[in-house]
Structure formats: structure tokens, C-alpha cells
Amino acid sequence: MTRVLVVDDQMLIRAGLAALLRAAPGMQVVGEAADGAQAVALAASERPDVVLMDVRMPGMDGITATGTILGLAAEPKPRIIILTTFDLDEYVYSALRAGAAGFLLKDTPPERLLTAVSTVAAGDMLFAPSVVCRLIEAYAHRAGGRAAMAPPGLDPLTNRELDVLRLVGQGLSNPEIAGRLVVSVATVKTHLNRTMAKLNLSSRAQAVVLAYESGLVIPGGAA
């Protein structure tokens, strides 16, 4: 069973999402929260596999709650999908920077939302089709200006870990990275896991963001 926490300040939306999940095979709703603070508390007590997180809520917003939940959680950390009606690059960037595994609009069809939950629960990233084409532009904009927070230094990484992080930032999958570096997929996973541990990253999405912010990947550069 995939254990899901639903977070939204609008009761009807929250109830609708919870009902959809309860009716789906293999899904279990372990809690519902109306704001970020409740989400943090429930995530700590219920340890969900996936969190559906609203962005704009009273008190603690969804982006802050995402970072807090991932910062406090023990391994395995929950996978967080940001749900919002606001299709804005800033939310995409901030959500991924905080460690979210995906970003979907609230008008996403039910079947796609259920697929999204299963996808991130399996360890993959997810992006709404309407924002994926602008995602790199958001990175480029931030990389060209002053970042919200200085990225951690890359000095702790070995040369091979830097290679893996660079290719992750360019959007390559683990099998593609393995082919590029002529190593096994298991070796790629080991290097990536060590990189994320050294840099205190919670998700592959954060690794992508860091690759751009640190200048390891140049926007518009060849993969």
C-alpha cells in the first residue's frame, strides 16, 4: 500500500482528493491537513510515503512545509507532490529547491494524479506537462541572478561524483548516465546516493537544481 497524506486548506478539494485516493487500489490515506503546520505534524506521526501538498495556505505555506518535512524526516523520506492552481515558474523552482519530487496543477485529470502518486512513490520525479518546457528557463533565470540561498560547495565530491551530478542536471536517467560513463547502473546509483548524502540533498530534483545553481550545468548547454 502507498500511504498518502493530503494537504489543502480548501475542505472540498481536500476531501475530493482523499476520496479519489481511497477508491484507488493500493492507496491508503493516512491523514488530511488544512495547513503546513498540520502537515508537518502529521508527516512526523504517520510517516506517509507520498504527500500531496497545496502551495498557498494560511500560516505555513506548502513550500516551507515541504522543506520542513524533508528536513525532519528519517529515511526513507516521504515523496512530496506540489498541487496548485497557480502555474508559475517561481512555484516550480521553489518546490524543487525545497525537495519536492513533482509539481501538478489541480486541474490534472484524476487518472493522471493517481499515476503521479505511483510514479513518485517508486522514486521518480514528476512534472506537469504545462510547466516542464519552462522549467529550464526558470533555472536559467535564477542562475543568472542572485540565488535565494548560496548552494553548498562541491568540494566534498569526487571527480566521478561530479560527473554523475552534471549528467543528472542535464536530465539524463541512471541508465543513460551509466552508458555515458561506461559503468553499471548500480554504480551510478551508488555515486548519486553518496553525492546526495554529502550535500544533504533530499531528492533528485534538488540535485538538478544544485547542478544549475553551482554552475556545474550551464543553461542551454549541450547534454
Side-chain angles (χ1 to χ4, degrees):
M1 298 291 287
T2 299
R3 296 164 50 81
V4 186
L5 171 63
V6 179
V7 185
D8 199 293
D9 64 328
Q10 297 184 51
M11 184 179 65
L12 289 178
I13 292 178
R14 188 171 68 248
L17 290 171
L20 174 67
L21 290 163
R22 289 190 178 102
M27 302 287 178
Q28 178 185 3
V29 177
V30 297
E32 299 178 38
D35 58 42
Q38 290 181 13
V40 171
L42 282 172
S45 63
E46 300 300 328
R47 300 200 63 186
D49 301 309
V50 177
V51 180
L52 292 179
M53 179 75 74
D54 189 17
V55 171
R56 289 190 173 182
M57 295 181 290
M60 183 185 293
D61 63 63
I63 303 299
T64 302
T66 293
T68 302
I69 288 171
L70 294 175
L72 296 175
E75 296 291 348
K77 296 179 184 292
R79 308 282 291 172
I80 299 179
I81 299 175
I82 298 294
L83 284 173
T84 182
T85 56
F86 303 98
D87 180 6
L88 299 177
D89 291 333
E90 178 68 20
Y91 289 135
V92 179
Y93 189 91
S94 298
L96 296 182
R97 204 178 202 287
F103 183 101
L104 286 175
L105 302 181
K106 288 183 179 179
D107 60 2
T108 297
E111 60 274 13
R112 176 165 169 75
L113 188 142
L114 293 174
T115 299
V117 172
S118 298
T119 296
V120 300
D124 295 323
M125 290 197 304
L126 180 80
F127 303 103
S130 59
V131 300
V132 70
C133 292
R134 300 206 314 269
L135 185 57
I136 298 304
E137 292 303 318
Y139 288 147
H141 173 73
R142 281 302 188 92
R146 182 165 53 186
M149 181 168 49
L154 302 182
D155 292 344
L157 303 185
T158 65
N159 288 337
R160 186 43 60 97
E161 288 165 354
L162 284 170
D163 290 338
V164 170
L165 179 59
R166 182 182 296 108
L167 294 173
V168 167
Q170 291 173 348
L172 274 66
S173 66
N174 286 351
E176 289 171 335
I177 295 171
R180 184 73 63 88
L181 299 179
V182 195
V183 298
S184 69
V185 173
T187 298
V188 172
K189 290 180 179 179
T190 297
H191 286 311
L192 182 55
N193 288 339
R194 288 176 179 169
T195 296
M196 293 176 68
K198 288 180 179 181
L199 301 180
N200 194 30
L201 303 175
S202 300
S203 71
R204 192 183 185 98
Q206 281 186 311
V208 174
V209 172
L210 176 60
Y212 277 88
E213 288 190 339
S214 65
L216 191 63
V217 174
I218 304 301

